[in-house]
């Protein structure tokens, strides 16, 4: 009996779960028309605040004010991907979903290890519906190559990498995946959805279907979101993961604070405050972020990042942007905060420059968003102010005049980070059912 090297790799990679997955580092050559911006190097957190103030000011368009022109960015970068397929394939015409994460996450957003993978999107798509998936770490994030956070890590360059990976799957040239796929669907979350949308604009035949999650074209609330993030330099916010400081140095610096929670609790004993309550409080502050990475972890260490890599302040900012109170496990917020990933100046400056129309895309489109999404709906996606408009994302149907089908699906009791809420699997099933109805299921 003959076993291909590809099959052997999958057997080794996954002997327990139903899905078979393989982590691959793919050299990807990109070429993109990026913006050239006149933004001084950020020296500290105060500069990050100044940048956010300029970006959100109503006095003018700061992005246009800072834009000097355009330049072609070209080069080869390593993109980290995870390819998964069912352990038993049904039929001869598989469908692959390309999964692109949003700001603050890496590709594990789609296969979240929290609570023994009970929140895994990939488990549902692969194990229950038979799809293949390719989840990617965007350029500059996770285990993918790091690059200049102002001049390189921008929406056009990241979309170029997404396109090249798509063509590899289409042509059967993705390393260690000797399969040419005739059915390719792009599924993105937030900024990843914007990149998938940009792909449909610039390469309308590259994708057979779009699912844009945590997305709408209403930008009214983005300034409030940026303000809430209260951005800090990532290297200062979580120095053990994103800076150039060692665990030993942090431990030494914090040694005077040993038994801090017990000492505070002792002082507050007359008020019945326990050390556990003190610890939970500290975890929601900058101190919780300072300690992130102190314990052993499997997370990528994006060490010594340039100052143009930013992140939000703490768990409070995280909750405001991504979570709906009472509809998520409190432990998952701490998990998300300690394992968050940064965003770049270039991304913030270019997300608003994506065109409003995808006039030539002819495949089906689903926009799936939590009803209480704060980023794109201000907290209620049904509050349109127009009786004729069912939801805020429903208005995006005008952006796809040639689409075969358009659906705006509102997931109840969910905010921006759809995959981290109690009812996430309801959204996962809605996506698979949509793709199946549109003839994009594996066959």
């Amino acid at each position: 009996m003959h076993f291909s090297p590809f099959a052997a790799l999958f057997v080794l990679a996954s002997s327990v779960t139903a899905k078979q997955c393989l982590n691959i580092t793919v050299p990807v050559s990109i070429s993109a028309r990026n913006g050239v911006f006149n933004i001084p190097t950020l020296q500290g957190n105060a500069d990050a605040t100044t940048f956010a103030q300029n970006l959100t000011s109503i006095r003018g368009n700061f992005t246009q004010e800072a834009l000097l022109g355009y330049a072609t960015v070209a080069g080869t970068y390593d993109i980290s991907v995870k390819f998964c397929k069912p352990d038993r394939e049904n039929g001869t015409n598989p469908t692959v979903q390309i999964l692109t994460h949003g700001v603050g996450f890496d590709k594990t957003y789609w296969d979240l290890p929290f609570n023994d993978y009970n929140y895994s999107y990939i488990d549902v798509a692969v194990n229950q519906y038979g799809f293949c998936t390719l989840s990617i770490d965007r350029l500059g994030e996770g285990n993918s190559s790091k690059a200049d956070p102002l001049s390189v890590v921008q929406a056009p360059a990241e979309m170029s990498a997404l396109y090249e990976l798509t063509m590899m799957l289409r042509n059967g040239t993705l390393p260690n995946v000797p399969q040419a796929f005739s059915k390719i669907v792009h599924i993105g979350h937030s900024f990843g959805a914007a990149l998938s949308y940009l792909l449909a604009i610039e390469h309308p035949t590259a994708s057979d279907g779009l699912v844009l999650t945590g997305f709408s074209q209403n930008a009214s609330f983005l300034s409030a979101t940026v303000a809430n993030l209260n951005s800090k330099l990532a290297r200062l916010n979580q120095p053990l993961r994103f800076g150039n400081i060692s665990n030993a140095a942090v431990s030494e610096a914090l040694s005077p604070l040993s038994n801090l929670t017990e000492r505070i609790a002792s002082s507050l004993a007359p008020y019945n405050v326990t050390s556990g309550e003190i610890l939970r409080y500290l975890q929601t502050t900058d101190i919780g972020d300072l300690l992130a990475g102190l314990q052993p972890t499997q997370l990528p260490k994006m060490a010594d990042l340039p100052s143009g890599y930013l992140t939000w302040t703490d768990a409070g900012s995280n909750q405001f942007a991504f979570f709906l109170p009472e509809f998520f496990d409190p432990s998952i917020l701490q998990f998300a905060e300690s394992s968050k990933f940064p965003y770049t100046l270039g991304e913030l400056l270019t997300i608003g420059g994506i065109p409003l129309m995808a006039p030539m895309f002819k495949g089906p489109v689903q926009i799936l968003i939590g009803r209480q999404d704060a980023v794109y709906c201000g907290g209620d996606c049904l509050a349109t102010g127009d009786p004729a408009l069912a939801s805020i994302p429903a208005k995006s149907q005008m952006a796809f005049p040639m689409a075969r089908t358009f659906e705006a699906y509102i997931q109840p009791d969910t905010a921006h980070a759809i995959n981290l809420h109690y009812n996430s699997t309801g959204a996962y099933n809605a996506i698979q059912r949509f793709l199946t109805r549109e003839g994009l299921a594996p066959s």
Side-chain angles (χ1 to χ4, degrees):
M1 183 177 295
H2 174 72
F3 291 92
S4 71
F6 179 61
L9 283 169
F10 270 116
V11 171
L12 290 173
S14 178
S15 59
V16 178
T17 60
K19 65 179 184 290
Q20 298 180 354
C21 298
L22 182 63
N23 289 302
I24 314 167
T25 299
V26 185
V28 177
S29 296
I30 69 167
S31 180
R33 182 176 178 263
N34 272 15
V36 179
F37 294 100
N38 180 26
I39 302 292
T41 301
L42 306 186
Q43 301 297 328
N45 286 333
D47 290 341
T49 300
T50 299
F51 173 81
Q53 287 176 300
N54 290 330
L55 189 66
T56 58
S57 174
I58 64 171
R59 63 172 173 76
N61 187 326
F62 178 68
T63 299
Q64 287 299 318
E65 293 171 4
L67 182 66
L68 299 178
Y70 296 91
T72 298
V73 171
T76 299
Y77 298 90
D78 287 339
I79 302 298
S80 177
V81 305
K82 182 177 182 179
F83 180 79
C84 296
K85 71 171 188 175
D87 56 357
R88 289 182 298 275
E89 294 185 53
N90 298 318
T92 58
N93 191 14
T95 301
V96 62
Q97 302 180 7
I98 300 182
L99 310 175
T100 307
H101 64 87
V103 161
F105 298 96
D106 71 342
K107 62 180 177 289
T108 61
Y109 175 80
W110 305 102
D111 198 23
L112 206 67
F114 180 80
N115 195 16
D116 196 27
Y117 292 88
N118 281 341
Y119 291 77
S120 174
Y121 172 89
I122 292 176
D123 277 0
V124 173
V126 177
N127 296 349
Q128 298 181 28
Y129 290 86
F131 287 93
C132 298
T133 61
L134 186 81
S135 51
I136 70 173
D137 281 343
R138 300 192 329 264
L139 172 64
E141 293 292 342
N143 283 314
S144 291
S145 292
K146 310 308 171 286
D148 187 283
L150 178 62
S151 64
V152 177
V153 187
Q154 300 181 13
E158 295 182 59
M159 189 280 293
S160 177
L162 177 60
Y163 172 74
E164 295 300 332
L165 289 167
T166 302
M167 291 300 100
M168 290 180 191
L169 286 171
R170 186 76 76 185
N171 299 326
T173 58
L174 188 77
N176 295 322
V177 184
Q179 167 79 53
F181 290 87
S182 61
K183 293 186 290 186
I184 299 178
V185 176
H186 289 83
I187 301 177
H189 172 248
S190 193
F191 189 77
L195 295 178
S196 301
Y197 174 57
L198 182 58
L199 176 78
I201 295 171
E202 297 199 7
H203 305 283
T205 62
S207 184
D208 298 296
L210 288 179
V211 178
L212 310 176
T213 73
F215 176 85
S216 82
Q217 291 177 296
N218 187 332
S220 304
F221 311 104
L222 290 181
S223 289
T225 299
V226 172
N228 155 70
L229 296 179
N230 192 16
S231 295
K232 309 295 184 185
L233 272 58
R235 61 182 294 114
L236 298 180
N237 182 256
Q238 290 195 1
L240 284 167
R241 295 181 60 212
F242 306 135
N244 61 357
I245 190 171
S246 68
N247 286 37
V250 171
S251 297
E252 181 178 356
L254 293 178
S255 59
L257 302 179
S258 60
N259 301 319
L260 176 63
T261 57
E262 289 80 1
R263 289 156 57 191
I264 295 176
S266 177
S267 300
L268 297 177
Y271 305 99
N272 296 319
V273 179
T274 67
S275 58
E277 290 172 320
I278 299 297
L279 178 60
R280 286 192 292 274
Y281 166 74
L282 293 176
Q283 286 175 331
T284 66
T285 69
D286 285 11
I287 294 177
D289 283 284
L290 177 65
L291 298 177
L294 194 60
Q295 300 299 320
T297 177
Q298 298 299 314
L299 291 170
K301 268 198 171 182
M302 299 174 63
D304 205 14
L305 291 179
S307 62
Y309 277 90
L310 307 175
T311 188
W312 54 78
T313 299
D314 55 28
S317 295
N318 196 337
Q319 176 179 320
F320 187 95
F322 292 99
F323 291 90
L324 178 64
E326 299 183 16
F327 293 95
F328 65 90
D329 184 334
S331 297
I332 207 172
L333 174 59
Q334 299 307 323
F335 171 86
E337 183 62 21
S338 63
S339 61
K340 67 184 178 182
F341 285 84
Y343 43 92
T344 71
L345 293 175
E347 290 172 333
L348 292 175
L349 288 164
T350 55
I351 188 172
I354 296 175
L356 295 178
M357 297 282 289
M360 301 305 295
F361 183 72
K362 298 181 180 180
V365 177
Q366 181 190 57
I367 294 180
L368 185 149
I369 192 168
R371 175 176 175 174
Q372 289 82 6
D373 189 297
V375 178
Y376 283 108
C377 293
D380 189 353
C381 288
L382 299 184
T384 65
D386 180 357
L389 185 63
S391 68
I392 290 173
K395 191 173 183 179
S396 291
Q397 183 170 5
M398 296 184 296
F400 299 95
M402 299 290 288
R404 185 173 77 221
T405 305
F406 178 88
E407 175 182 275
Y409 183 93
I410 309 302
Q411 175 73 0
D413 301 328
T414 302
H416 192 59
I418 298 166
N419 294 17
L420 280 70
H421 284 75
Y422 283 134
N423 61 352
S424 58
T425 54
Y428 303 165
N429 283 294
I431 293 171
Q432 315 315 312
R433 291 194 297 265
F434 173 78
L435 296 176
T436 300
R437 289 197 304 270
E438 293 301 318
L440 291 172
S443 58

